[in-house]
Amino acid sequence: MNLSGRLALGTMLPVVVTLLAVAFVHGTASPGLLLAAGAIGAALALVMAVMIGRSLATPLDRVTWVVERLSRGETVAMPSGGDRETARGALAELSATLGTRQSLLEKTVESIRDPVVVADHAGAVVIINAAARRLLGVDPGFNILTGIRTFRCYCADGETAMPIPEMPLARALAGEEVDDLELIVKPWPEQPGVRLLANARTLRDDAGKLRGAVSVLHDITARRHAHQALVESEQMAQAIVRTALDAFVQTDQDGVILDWSAQAEVLTGWTRSDAVGRKVVELVFPEELRDAHRQRIAKFLQEIAAGGMGMRYESAALHRDGHQFLVEVSLSALRCGDGYVINAFVRDVTQRRMAQEQLIQAQKMEAVGQLTGGIAHDFNNMLTVITGTIEILADGVKDTPQLASIAKLISDAADRGAQLTSSLLAFARKQPLQPTKTDVNGLIGDVVRLLSQTLGSQIVIRAELGRDAWLAFVDRSQLSAALVNLAINARDAMPDGGTLTFATRNIQLGIPDAVARGVERAGDHLVIEVRDTGVGISPPHLEKIFDPFFSTKEVGQGTGLGLSMVFGFVKQTGGGIEVLSEEGQGTTFRIYLPKADGTAPHPVEEGDQPIRGGDETILCVEDDDKIREYVTGQLESLGYTVLVAANADAALEIVDRGAAFDLLFTDIVMPGRMNGRQLAETLMAGRPTLRVLFTSGYSDGALPKQARPGHGIPLLAKPYRRGELARMLRRCLDLAVDVQGDPLPLPYSVQADLERFLRENPPDKT
């Protein structure tokens, strides 16, 4: 029912009630009259109510019509006459209500932290909150479509300028709805951009007519920076994994592989596609170590749950091709949901472990060397007296067989003592060496001829010598002793007979190969292989074969110094030695020797040359009284004039007195402020042509390493016999030198070669 109907109904009810009351009061009306009167009254009341309602409703309906038009922004003429006051009152009330609501709306929009902009259908800003004013620098009334702006809008790339028609509010005014459009706004050209996520909607009235648009902007700059930082961090992490020298393996807490770097592929031989999804324990750990690995990971996760940081350990790993190697694993874990992700960096430390073992071996040899050297000096001094004087005694009793036999026993025992000391010094790398350019193929030929007569007919000796084998820079006599020692060990490993093979070849070692083989320097080397077909060496014994006094032979059948002597000699030469052996499959020793430059000189054949003395004057410097007495007697018996000094200071006093002499024969290790080498250098500074012969039972590094072959330092190792002393003296005294003390080359003679050929190929006796 509309407003007019409700007013008519309200005025009709009082009229009807009045007529009914008059009729009942006079009591004269008949029922018919009353009914008629009631009908008439009702009719009249109805007519009056309608008239009154219309008179009252008309102004109100007009006011309502005016307000509705005004609310839609239409222009309406104000009513005239009595309706003006009614309209003004209604308008005032409506205006107050609308003002309250608009104020509440503006305060709400103003308090929003995101920028909000409302424009009318023409593009003029009607509402803009504080956040939008700060960002855009505009106020209400600014035309978003045509206004001159200080801010600049760019697409999401931050470089492409965004045209005005493509801006979110402009698109909404064109009737388009915009969702999550990313753009960048720079309030001023020199200020950094603000990255925004824009949404825009059109505003329409009940009739569907466009009245304006609203745009809400959300600042996502910090979120984008955080996302970019996360992306860069992830990229950095991936770059670290890609460029790391160590292999990277990622697994879940059950050991299933999630990630597998390129370095892991190189390290293990398994590709990423092969590895991902498989359990790491089954892929790269030997079967006997898998239970231990599972227990280690379980313990690691417990420690991580309790606040631990990580774990580092070493373990054997299995390559795809089946060989094992040693790795160092560094573990860390990250919480992921209800479980953990385990990150592992894996490094091959096989070479490092070998280097550590070599260092331990070197330290062990150094300790033995220090012990041996301290003993060897005094022991060799005593042996020098014994071996020297026993020759005199043997010569004196040569006509008495019983005493001659005793003298020989003493001499043999002294030789064995000297050999024992020499072996210990060789193992400790303390023996004085005389390395020269050596034709190893020729030397092996001599060794083979010697062994063919001593090893027995059940041992077949073969030589596989490289035709282009390089010369080696090595002590010839020590190398011969080492090869004979290896050959004797091979014979003992083949009690029922077998084959012994000597082979040579050239090899170039890089730094990793040199380190792996324990060679002093990378470069060109000559390899000597000594192979047998014997019983082989068990793994436990293989680790100890170079230890001093280690032997698997029965007591009394060996000193246990043979292989240790070979090892020490090779290492002192600057080479390396390795052994390969399996039980029942024989053994192979490989000796790596440094290559020598040029051609090898022909070795001097000492043979049984007669002992020859001289009449020169010799300055003999020896700190041991017994040896000094013995050496003086030997030198005088050879015809030399001897000047004797107990130490370097005494020798310098003799020189300062102007005493003339032809050769300095001095011990190397002596007490006092100057050793034998320093004494020689002092004297040679003023006399470059002075001949010098050193002697020592243990030089303790007092002699420098040999430089070029042919320019070595003459050394007579203790203990020595009278014949060796005589030959070394004549070799030094007969050597022609220039004014600088350098040897003069002598004319080459084929006599030595001819004599050697005749000895090796004696003419047939007829």
Side-chain angles (χ1 to χ4, degrees), residues 136-458:
L136 304 177
V138 299
D139 297 313
F142 176 80
N143 193 300
I144 202 71
L145 301 178
T146 61
I148 299 175
R149 63 199 66 205
T150 59
F151 64 91
R152 294 289 182 269
C153 290
Y154 298 88
C155 297
D157 59 10
E159 298 179 357
T160 305
M162 181 176 286
I164 291 177
E166 295 183 10
M167 295 177 62
L169 199 58
R171 290 168 60 182
L173 289 174
E176 183 181 353
E177 290 188 351
V178 179
D179 291 313
D180 295 337
L181 174 67
E182 190 170 332
L183 71 156
I184 294 176
V185 173
K186 290 186 178 181
W188 295 93
E190 66 276 5
Q191 293 183 354
V194 180
R195 190 172 291 272
L196 302 167
L197 202 62
N199 291 274
R201 293 290 187 274
T202 58
L203 298 176
R204 298 179 184 274
D205 58 17
D206 293 342
K209 187 176 181 180
L210 180 67
R211 294 298 180 183
V214 59
S215 177
V216 180
L217 308 173
H218 180 59
D219 188 346
I220 60 171
T221 305
R223 189 174 74 185
R224 283 299 184 201
H225 286 168
H227 175 73
Q228 183 64 28
L230 181 62
V231 171
E232 292 176 356
S233 177
E234 178 67 19
Q235 292 174 347
M236 180 66 72
Q238 292 297 328
I240 291 173
V241 169
R242 288 194 307 270
T243 59
L245 298 177
D246 298 339
F248 175 75
V249 179
Q250 186 181 74
T251 70
D252 62 14
Q253 64 182 22
D254 296 324
V256 177
I257 298 172
L258 305 176
D259 198 2
W260 191 261
S261 71
Q263 290 82 355
E265 293 181 342
V266 175
L267 182 65
T268 66
W270 294 99
T271 64
R272 190 176 190 278
S273 58
D274 293 330
V276 173
R278 298 181 62 178
K279 287 195 172 184
V280 67
V281 68
E282 298 174 354
L283 193 68
V284 297
F285 284 93
E287 187 171 357
E288 64 273 14
L289 298 179
R290 292 175 183 175
D291 288 340
H293 175 75
R294 294 187 185 97
Q295 294 174 9
R296 181 183 290 115
I297 296 300
K299 180 181 179 182
F300 166 68
L301 292 176
Q302 291 175 359
E303 293 176 353
I304 290 296
M309 298 299 294
M311 174 184 289
R312 181 179 285 112
Y313 65 93
E314 291 186 359
S315 174
L318 189 65
H319 194 273
R320 185 173 188 172
D321 62 11
H323 82 270
Q324 291 190 16
F325 56 99
L326 190 66
V327 295
E328 180 186 76
V329 183
S330 299
L331 293 181
S332 62
L334 298 175
R335 189 77 181 180
C336 184
D338 296 333
Y340 289 94
V341 171
I342 301 175
N343 296 321
F345 281 94
V346 186
R347 173 182 302 177
D348 187 344
V349 295
T350 306
Q351 299 295 339
R352 187 178 73 183
R353 175 59 65 84
M354 292 176 60
Q356 290 174 346
E357 292 176 352
Q358 291 172 359
L359 176 60
I360 293 172
Q361 180 72 10
Q363 292 172 339
K364 181 169 58 177
M365 287 189 297
E366 182 66 23
V368 174
Q370 294 294 335
L371 175 63
T372 303
I375 299 172
H377 183 264
D378 293 335
F379 190 60
N380 280 330
N381 280 344
M382 291 185 290
L383 287 175
T384 300
V385 176
I386 295 173
T387 56
T389 55
I390 198 65
E391 287 183 308
I392 301 174
L393 180 61
D395 186 63
V397 298
K398 61 183 180 181
D399 296 330
T400 308
Q402 185 177 3
L403 295 178
S405 177
I406 295 175
K408 188 176 186 308
L409 288 176
I410 297 173
S411 178
D412 292 343
D415 289 341
R416 290 180 58 189
Q419 183 59 42
L420 178 62
T421 306
S422 176
S423 297
L424 285 171
L425 288 173
F427 166 75
R429 310 180 207 175
K430 301 294 184 179
Q431 64 177 343
L433 296 180
Q434 296 289 331
T436 60
K437 295 177 182 179
T438 302
D439 179 6
V440 175
N441 281 357
L443 185 146
I444 291 178
D446 295 339
V447 171
V448 168
R449 283 190 290 273
L450 171 65
L451 295 175
S452 61
Q453 302 175 4
T454 58
L455 294 186
S457 59
Q458 74 277 16

Side-chain angles (χ1 to χ4, degrees), residues 93-156:
E93 182 179 356
L94 178 62
S95 177
T97 302
L98 291 176
T100 301
R101 292 181 179 178
Q102 182 175 355
S103 176
L104 180 62
L105 174 62
E106 290 177 353
K107 290 180 179 179
T108 302
V109 174
E110 188 74 8
S111 66
I112 297 175
R113 298 180 61 181
D114 289 335
V116 178
V117 181
V118 181
D120 63 12
H121 68 284
V125 175
V126 294
I127 298 176
I128 182 166
N129 68 352
R133 291 195 300 272
R134 287 192 300 269
L135 176 66
L136 304 177
V138 299
D139 297 313
F142 176 80
N143 193 300
I144 202 71
L145 301 178
T146 61
I148 299 175
R149 63 199 66 205
T150 59
F151 64 91
R152 294 289 182 269
C153 290
Y154 298 88
C155 297

Side-chain angles (χ1 to χ4, degrees), residues 522-543:
D524 295 337
H525 289 76
L526 177 72
V527 182
I528 304 174
E529 286 190 359
V530 181
R531 302 192 298 265
D532 65 60
T533 57
V535 296
I537 305 173
S538 64
H541 292 162
L542 196 61
E543 299 177 355

